[in-house]
Every structure is written in structure tokens, then in C-alpha cells.
């Protein structure tokens, strides 16, 4: 699933292409909003809130969540798309560019004044100008579950997914099964904020400081492979009971105690 830094870059790309321009094509290919038409309205902005995209057009906001497979592409009008038309769920075009949403599971159109109905439950976002580290740490510490699950809960901190949770816990030497209340949440949240900010402007995310393929993570995606620090075999397991949430995590049993 795309995490907060990926969604941030997507929002910035859409904002650069569309903001300030009049909509000349508006096509939502989802049943609940198929008849909506915002042609003639002006694109105000596109912003990210954790893993959520908010494309503000006139008095409305087109909300999308990329889930596992969703993506937005920007084309010049008339350009050939790199994906089949049946995968397209949304098109927002201006005279200069077209934003095409592909394989997006969640799309809805609401009045901008009602955005809080969609994202008001989210915790502080480390990529937002309104980032509140103390509140994020408080929410994580108050969670009664394991620290891995607490980091994934978007109500605590908005933007972290499985890769960030696994890598941050490794860097802090914390087992993913540790109760959140037993963790120095302030230090963990601070590290997470610094890491995701460093990655938001990179085309390829890295936690090791190395950008070469296969060398960007310490533990994530490396089950049964040797730890880069100590050589111990990396373990893979699941956290949490909700099948709709990200559950798979990775850790080093020697470095994370």
C-alpha cells in the first residue's frame, strides 16, 4: 500500500499540474458519483492527509484512497495512456493536463466544507504543516495494542504503513510485539517524522541510506535473509486480527529486544 510519502508526492504532482486551472473534463467511473460534473469549476489545490488525497475543485473535494493498487497519472491531452481504459476510475482534465486515476478503490465527492467527515478521524500527519509530534506520541502511548499495530492505526499517526512500521521499529531496536505503552513513543515518532520527511522528495524510498535495488530496507521484505547488522535470520510474522489491515511485519530477533 502506498504510504504517506508516496501520497504526498502524488498530491504535489497533481497540484502542480491542475491547480489554478479550469476543469474541461470531469469523469468519475464509480456508481455513486458517475453523474457528477464539475466542468467549468477551478481546481483550487490537491493536498495529502496521511494516505488520503484531497483534490479540491470549486466548492467540492474529490477524495481518493489508493489502497494497494491505485495510482494517479498526469498526461497531456491526447497522450496515449499507459494502462487500459477499463482500469480508469477518474479523469480530471484541464486545457493543459489530464489527471487519470487508475485502480483506485475508494473515490467520493463531497463538499470541501465537509472534508472532516472523511479525514477528521486521522491523527497528526508528519508531512503536514500542522504536525503535532506531542499529540502523535500521546496517541501511540495510549494505545493498548502492540507497537506495530499502534503505528499502523491512522488515528494515532497518519501516513505510516507496514514498511515504515517495520523499519522504524528495527532502527529503534523494538520488537513489534512490544506493548505500545512500554515504548518511548516520543523518540519513535520523532524518528518516523524525520525519516518520512527525508523520503518525501526521493523517487525511491530508503531507510538504509542506500538507493540501490534490494538495499533500501533493513528488515522489510527480507524474511529469512541475514540481518544487515548482525547476520541473524530476519523473521516474518503477523500482527493484529483485522484481515483488512496491513498485518505482516519483519524483525531481527537479535537487534530488536
Amino acid at each position: 500500500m502506498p504510504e504517506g510519502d508516496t501520497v504526498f508526492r502524488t498530491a504535489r504532482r497533481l497540484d502542480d499540474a491542475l491547480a489554478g486551472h479550469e476543469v474541461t473534463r470531469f469523469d468519475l467511473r464509480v456508481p455513486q458519483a458517475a453523474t457528477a460534473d464539475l466542468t467549468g469549476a477551478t481546481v483550487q489545490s490537491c493536498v495529502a492527509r496521511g494516505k488520503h488525497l484531497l483534490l479540491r475543485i470549486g466548492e467540492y473535494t474529490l477524495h481518493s484512497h489508493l489502497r494497494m493498487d491505485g495510482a494517479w497519472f498526469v498526461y497531456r491531452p491526447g497522450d496515449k495512456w499507459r494502462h487500459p481504459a477499463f482500469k480508469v476510475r477518474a479523469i480530471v482534465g484541464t486545457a493543459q493536463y489530464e489527471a487519470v486515476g487508475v485502480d483506485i478503490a475508494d473515490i467520493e465527492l463531497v463538499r470541501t466544507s465537509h472534508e472532516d467527515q472523511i479525514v477528521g478521524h486521522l491523527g497528526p500527519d508528519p508531512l503536514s504543516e500542522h504536525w503535532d509530534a506531542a499529540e502523535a506520541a500521546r496517541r501511540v502511548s495510549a494505545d493498548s495494542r502492540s507497537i506495530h499495530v499502534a503505528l499502523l492505526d491512522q488515528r494515532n499517526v497518519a501516513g505510516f504503513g507496514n514498511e515504515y512500521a517495520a523499519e522504524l521499529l528495527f532502527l529503534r531496536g523494538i520488537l513489534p510485539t512490544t506493548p505500545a505503552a512500554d515504548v518511548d513513543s516520543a523518540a519513535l515518532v520523532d524518528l518516523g517524522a524525520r525519516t518520512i520527511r527525508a523520503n518525501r522528495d526521493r523517487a525511491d524510498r530508503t531507510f538504509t541510506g542506500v538507493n540501490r535495488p534490494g538495499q533500501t530496507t533493513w528488515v522489510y521484505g527480507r524474511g529469512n535473509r541475514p540481518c544487515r547488522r548482525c547476520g541473524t535470520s530476519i523473521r516474518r510474522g503477523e500482527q493484529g486480527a483485522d484481515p483488512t489491515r496491513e498485518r505482516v511485519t519483519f524483525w531481527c530477533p537479535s537487534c530488536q529486544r
Side-chain angles (χ1 to χ4, degrees), residues 19 26 44 91 108 147 149 240 242:
F26 190 81
Q44 306 299 328
I91 305 169
E108 56 187 318
I147 187 59
V149 175
D242 187 343

Side-chain angles (χ1 to χ4, degrees), residues 4-6 8-10 12 126-129 164 193-203 205:
D5 48 1
T6 301
F8 180 91
R9 288 193 299 274
T10 299
R12 183 168 56 190
L127 296 181
S128 167
E129 60 184 8
Y164 268 94
R194 289 187 284 113
T195 304
I196 200 169
R197 288 172 184 169
N199 277 324
R200 72 182 174 189
D201 297 323
R202 294 177 174 139
R205 176 188 304 144

Side-chain angles (χ1 to χ4, degrees), residues 129-183:
E129 60 184 8
H130 305 296
W131 167 239
D132 187 339
E135 176 60 14
R138 185 195 68 78
R139 294 190 184 201
V140 171
S141 292
D143 200 305
S144 62
R145 299 167 295 178
S146 72
I147 187 59
H148 176 84
V149 175
L151 277 181
L152 290 182
D153 193 327
Q154 301 300 293
R155 295 169 297 182
N156 293 333
V157 188
F160 296 147
N162 252 7
E163 186 170 355
Y164 268 94
E167 292 295 298
L168 294 176
L169 293 176
F170 173 82
L171 290 169
R172 290 290 302 167
I174 302 168
L175 275 173
T177 53
T178 305
D182 295 345
V183 171

Side-chain angles (χ1 to χ4, degrees), residues 204-227:
D204 297 305
R205 176 188 304 144
T206 181
F207 296 91
T208 61
V210 179
N211 289 317
R212 290 189 290 274
Q215 299 183 38
T216 59
T217 63
W218 292 99
V219 291
Y220 184 79
R222 303 191 66 246
N224 298 319
R225 299 177 66 185
C227 175

